[in-house]
Amino acid sequence: MSKQILVTGGTGYIGSHTVVELQKSGFEVVIADNLSNSKAEVVDSIKEITGIEPQFEKTDLSIKDQSDALFNKYKKIEAVIHFAAYKAVGESVERPLEYYNNNINSLINILSNMREHNITNMVFSSSCTVYGQPDKLPVTEKTPRKEAESPYGNTKAICEDIMRDFCKANTNIKCIALRYFNPIGAHESALIGELPVGVPNNLVPFITQTAAGIRKELSIFGDDYNTPDGTAIRDYINVTDLSRAHVVSIDRLIKNRNKNNYEYFNVGTGNGLSVMELVKTFIKVTGVKLPYKIVERREGDIEKIWADTSYANKELGWEATKTTEETLLSAWKWEKKIRSL
Ligand code: UFG
């Protein structure tokens, strides 16, 4: 019998790609999502890709009764992958209570339901934001965490601490936190991808929308950083590569291959790329015109970060495989598809 995985936030950007990879690996998936930042039609697109329709529940996990009802209904859950969270850095500064309430209460509700129903495996969406601007690069899992720059970043640090303490007190429960670097791109089929609401905050959706003519020009935030071309450096990881890291993490937990009952891994490519390099690569591979201008630095941005992925590569038997070129092409293919270009 296939193992059932609960994927919270499973109609969202990374969640939907992970559901596809889970189904491809033979797992049965239940999606729980409140659709606050995604659409129910994503379920149909997942079915179109894999031929399998995941079960779907419209549920708000930050509300205890709804979380209880979900876990009472699905009795075969072996593991939870918890994506459901608010994720906009700027918005979190404006609305800290909503961010703390949603991101923290949903984790607490899920962990308490897991304990109650004897579900022992959890993979959690964390972020490289917990490292702040590191003193030394690349960052390893041993790099110290820094004070969060935003309420959003703080929710990730607090959730990591909650899992660490919960695992200490409940030694039968195993959690893995995956610290994502910058996920970009879309599924190669262009049937699922990122669907930003309103003006995108993140670089690649802004690039593809500008290339599609929806935005006049891209603003590059700062060219006076201490980097080779002056623009900020990030580690951009293909969303399907990132999704596969969740599948191998689930496998590690189910097969009891974990070293501790709370573990955390860097999920990136190991390569740092500047904003300007990314923009130039996009123009080169798509051949599309992309108007851009240099503006002031964006408040709260760090200068540079990229991952040392050797621990994740070794322990998870996982590595990023897709090139930046093919990933940017996938993002462009998706943008053209949703705009009917
Ligand atoms: N950038 C631009 N123009 C834009 C958008 C972004 O120049 O229109 C630049 C940013 O200044 C930054 C880089 O592109 O240098 C990447 O910016 P993103 O907004 O795409 O990503 P961030 O690195 O700021 O944020 C990401 C995640 C957050 C997470 C953070 C951790 O989106 O969830 O990494 O560092 F908290």
Side-chain angles (χ1 to χ4, degrees):
M1 203 175 63
S2 62
K3 299 192 186 296
Q4 201 173 55
I5 314 291
L6 172 65
V7 180
T8 78
T11 47
Y13 175 42
I14 307 169
S16 58
H17 289 79
T18 301
V19 172
V20 166
E21 297 307 310
L22 284 166
Q23 290 185 330
K24 277 169 60 185
S25 301
F27 292 104
E28 193 183 315
V29 176
V30 177
I31 293 175
D33 201 302
N34 68 358
L35 301 178
S36 67
N37 194 21
S38 62
K39 296 203 159 55
E41 296 87 84
V42 170
V43 174
D44 304 326
S45 306
I46 292 170
K47 185 181 174 200
E48 213 175 321
I49 296 170
T50 63
I52 305 160
E53 184 166 347
Q55 297 180 77
F56 175 77
E57 292 288 335
K58 186 170 183 294
T59 304
D60 187 334
L61 289 150
S62 68
I63 299 168
K64 180 86 171 87
D65 287 351
Q66 295 195 27
S67 182
D68 288 349
L70 181 78
F71 281 88
N72 283 328
K73 179 166 174 186
Y74 291 93
K75 297 290 188 192
K76 288 195 314 168
I77 296 169
E78 292 252 2
V80 180
I81 308 184
H82 181 37
F83 292 104
Y86 293 154
K87 63 173 185 181
V89 176
E91 186 185 60
S92 79
V93 177
E94 309 287 321
R95 312 182 55 158
L97 284 190
E98 283 80 358
Y99 272 69
Y100 286 114
N101 178 52
N102 187 43
N103 293 7
I104 292 169
N105 284 331
S106 34
L107 178 69
I108 292 173
N109 289 339
I110 291 166
L111 290 176
S112 93
N113 280 130
M114 284 173 60
R115 183 176 55 187
E116 191 184 332
H117 292 269
N118 201 25
I119 298 165
T120 55
N121 307 304
M122 147 84 98
V123 175
F124 176 76
S125 294
S126 189
S127 166
C128 69
T129 193
V130 299
Y131 296 117
Q133 176 59 67
D135 300 328
K136 250 176 64 189
L137 286 163
V139 281
T140 74
E141 287 77 358
K142 293 201 169 78
T143 300
R145 286 184 353 190
K146 285 200 171 159
E147 181 86 15
E149 295 270 349
S150 68
Y152 159 78
N154 206 21
T155 67
K156 292 298 175 190
I158 293 169
C159 285
E160 285 195 353
D161 291 347
I162 291 172
M163 282 185 295
R164 179 201 60 206
D165 295 346
F166 184 74
C167 286
K168 204 166 175 186
N170 298 273
T171 51
N172 64 322
I173 294 193
K174 297 164 282 170
C175 295
I176 290 179
L178 297 178
R179 291 175 174 168
Y180 312 155
F181 284 69
N182 288 50
I184 60 166
H187 193 262
E188 56 189 11
S189 63
L191 288 166
I192 53 171
E194 193 169 3
L195 276 172
V197 176
V199 182
N201 294 310
N202 295 117
L203 180 59
V204 170
F206 207 103
I207 288 177
T208 55
Q209 288 198 7
T210 307
I214 297 157
R215 312 273 156 216
K216 202 168 111 260
E217 61 190 347
L218 168 74
S219 294
I220 295 180
F221 299 135
D223 69 348
D224 55 353
Y225 285 109
N226 182 23
T227 60
D229 65 20
T231 63
I233 294 178
R234 298 287 185 274
D235 183 336
Y236 296 95
I237 173 148
N238 178 285
V239 66
T240 297
D241 278 339
L242 172 59
S243 296
R244 285 190 303 100
H246 296 77
V247 180
V248 295
S249 298
I250 285 291
D251 208 48
R252 179 179 177 88
L253 294 178
I254 289 176
K255 293 184 176 146
N256 284 312
R257 295 209 173 116
N258 53 303
K259 288 209 166 130
N260 297 298
N261 69 329
Y262 172 56
E263 298 182 301
Y264 45 93
F265 298 98
N266 286 344
V267 189
T269 65
N271 296 316
L273 217 62
S274 75
V275 175
M276 195 53 94
E277 285 173 312
L278 195 89
V279 165
K280 290 202 166 138
T281 308
F282 181 85
I283 295 169
K284 188 182 84 197
V285 295
T286 61
V288 175
K289 248 182 73 200
L290 181 70
Y292 63 82
K293 63 172 179 201
I294 310 286
V295 300
E296 289 292 291
R297 293 180 181 192
R298 182 171 69 179
E299 208 190 312
D301 270 351
I302 58 159
E303 184 168 271
K304 51 190 164 201
I305 188 165
W306 63 94
D308 180 329
T309 60
S310 46
Y311 186 63
N313 297 156
K314 177 168 154 275
E315 282 299 317
L316 298 176
W318 165 92
E319 60 179 358
T321 57
K322 306 234 187 227
T323 63
T324 311
E325 283 80 0
E326 64 185 308
T327 303
L328 288 173
L329 272 176
S330 73
W332 180 228
K333 187 175 165 191
W334 164 247
E335 187 72 55
K336 284 193 293 183
K337 163 92 186 312
I338 56 177
R339 308 293 164 192
S340 310
L341 292 177

